[in-house]
Amino acid sequence: MSSLLSRHAESVFWMARYFERTESLGRIIETQTSFQRGREDDNGWAWIVALYSDEEAFAKAFPEANSENVIRFYMAHTENPGSIQSSIRSARENARALRPMLSIDMWYQLNDFCNRVFAFSNADLSEVRLSRTCDAIKRGCYAQIGVAENTLYHDETWPFFRLGLFLERADQTSRLLDVRFAQQQTGLASDEGHYDHTFWSILLRAASAYHAYRRVHPRHIEPREVARFLIFDPRLPRSIAYCLSETQAMIELLRRNFGLRNAGPAAERVEAMIEGLQTASHDDNLLQNLHGFNDWVQSSLILLNGELGSAFFGYAKAPEADVALPAPAAAMGQTQSQTQVAR
């Protein structure tokens, strides 16, 4: 890179990821708070641990996956690198490395936000006040990203910030869509829960997509349409399709405007993911295959992150790997391809 050090590019990339991760985790905890409200069973929180594959780390810290322990683990347990407090602290550490490149407004906002998050009391983390606490976290992240949008200089720093933001958002949206599978894994939901309209309504609200969905589908909340909306709608800022489109645009910006030619493998990976989305959009059984689809999204994002790391951040080149779409989407894509060739 001509004017941006590799370590600075990595810092701004991860700073953005931590902002988005904090907001998304706040959304998932808020979703559970709404879903659990009024229920006597206190064991309905274990699915969050399963969702993030943190069973081993959680078991070392707490004896039981009840509401109090899960909330503590993901909100304020600093030994958990994925907790909200840990993520905000990591965002500030990355921002510290970028201090000469950040506006005063952005730096002050981050410090203020970080201090507020670390000042949460036990009462703020109680189930009674947790929804309000999560809302404060979301609004703090909105403000942080908004300040960055309005004050971060649009040199090479800008596309790396956006890349981190949208890679993390795509991953978190796919996790949010996998909530029901995680609940099934912990015995908290049956397959019939796919058709629980209340659950899917809460899921839309957790993604701040409820009103947008109702504009497109004003008469009903249909689980199949909710899933397709959060995955494929190119106008929804939190859809996986939108995130991949923005990621592709930022990689192209690095190649075209800043001459970073080694972005080619990452560009190819994003293009393959977009083609995979197009194939999956024709899958009539998408809702039944949703967990497999989400696994494909997350695995593909890991590979994309590796491509970006080896191209720009000095990571070792990852072994060549390919991730196939789950059946029947993959089979459908093959059939369509054969049809196109025949024509």
Side-chain angles (χ1 to χ4, degrees):
M1 297 178 199
S2 57
S3 61
L4 184 67
L5 295 176
S6 182
R7 59 187 174 87
H8 288 158
E10 184 176 14
S11 290
V12 75
F13 175 84
W14 280 103
M15 179 180 67
R17 291 201 72 157
Y18 284 123
F19 289 155
E20 186 65 30
R21 187 172 299 177
T22 298
E23 182 193 343
S24 296
L25 183 53
R27 289 174 181 281
I28 287 177
I29 293 174
E30 187 177 36
T31 300
Q32 173 60 13
T33 303
S34 299
F35 192 73
Q36 193 70 14
R37 188 173 290 120
R39 297 171 182 254
E40 296 181 0
D41 181 14
D42 193 37
N43 297 318
W45 290 78
W47 66 267
I48 297 180
V49 181
L51 186 67
Y52 287 98
S53 302
D54 284 332
E55 292 90 344
E56 184 176 347
F58 183 87
K60 291 180 180 178
F62 298 99
E64 182 184 359
N66 58 25
S67 59
E68 181 181 357
N69 291 342
V70 173
I71 291 168
R72 175 68 57 179
F73 185 72
Y74 284 106
M75 294 288 287
H77 190 60
T78 53
E79 294 183 15
N80 171 20
S83 73
I84 283 175
Q85 285 190 351
S86 294
S87 294
I88 287 298
R89 183 171 58 187
S90 296
R92 185 166 66 173
E93 290 306 309
N94 279 282
R96 195 185 304 278
L98 296 163
R99 183 64 191 90
M101 307 172 68
L102 301 182
S103 69
I104 293 175
D105 289 339
M106 189 171 177
W107 178 248
Y108 281 178
Q109 166 65 30
L110 178 53
N111 275 287
D112 179 65
F113 184 34
C114 188
N115 290 337
R116 283 186 285 125
V117 168
F118 274 87
F120 286 145
S121 65
N122 289 333
D124 292 320
L125 303 183
S126 67
E127 285 192 73
V128 175
R129 298 176 62 176
L130 189 59
S131 182
R132 184 170 64 180
T133 301
C134 289
D135 187 65
I137 289 168
K138 290 191 301 179
R139 292 179 184 278
C141 290
Y142 289 154
Q144 194 64 59
I145 295 170
V147 172
E149 293 266 357
N150 284 280
T151 66
L152 194 60
Y153 187 59
H154 284 207
D155 58 0
E156 294 102 315
T157 308
W158 176 245
F160 281 108
F161 180 86
R162 300 275 287 179
L163 279 173
L165 193 70
F166 286 108
L167 255 68
E168 187 67 30
R169 185 174 296 178
D171 177 76
Q172 294 295 332
T173 296
S174 72
R175 288 183 184 275
L176 194 60
L177 283 162
D178 228 16
V179 162
R180 183 58 77 185
F181 178 81
Q183 289 179 333
Q184 290 169 5
Q185 291 297 97
T186 53
L188 298 174
S190 66
D191 288 337
E192 294 176 356
H194 277 303
Y195 302 99
D196 183 345
H197 289 210
T198 301
F199 167 79
W200 287 93
S201 176
I202 291 173
L203 201 67
L204 281 169
R205 293 181 186 279
S208 285
Y210 179 82
H211 293 288
Y213 176 86
R214 297 298 296 206
R215 288 179 63 185
V216 179
H217 303 282
R219 296 184 179 179
H220 61 274
I221 293 179
E222 176 63 39
R224 179 177 178 273
E225 295 302 329
V226 173
R228 297 183 68 82
F229 186 67
L230 291 173
I231 295 170
F232 303 120
D233 196 301
R235 300 162 296 181
L236 180 68
R238 294 194 174 277
S239 76
I240 295 172
Y242 184 94
C243 292
L244 291 181
S245 176
E246 289 295 312
T247 299
Q248 186 179 49
M250 291 303 104
I251 293 175
E252 185 59 28
L253 183 63
L254 288 171
R255 298 175 72 185
R256 185 182 67 250
N257 287 25
F258 301 108
L260 302 183
R261 299 175 182 174
N262 49 346
E268 292 174 4
R269 180 70 61 186
V270 176
E271 185 175 356
M273 290 189 70
I274 291 173
E275 291 176 355
L277 280 192
Q278 292 172 347
T279 298
S281 68
H282 299 289
D283 184 0
D284 292 332
N285 298 313
L286 179 66
L287 195 63
Q288 290 74 23
N289 299 323
L290 195 55
H291 175 65
F293 173 81
N294 287 325
D295 271 353
W296 170 78
V297 170
Q298 291 173 27
S299 298
S300 298
L301 289 171
I302 289 171
L303 293 175
L304 175 57
N305 187 75
E307 297 284 5
L308 292 170
S310 61
F312 302 120
F313 308 148
Y315 296 177
K317 177 68 176 177
E320 291 294 328
D322 196 13
V323 180
L325 269 171
M332 181 179 297
Q334 183 180 14
T335 301
Q336 290 174 340
S337 177
Q338 291 171 346
T339 302
Q340 289 169 355
V341 170
R343 289 177 180 173

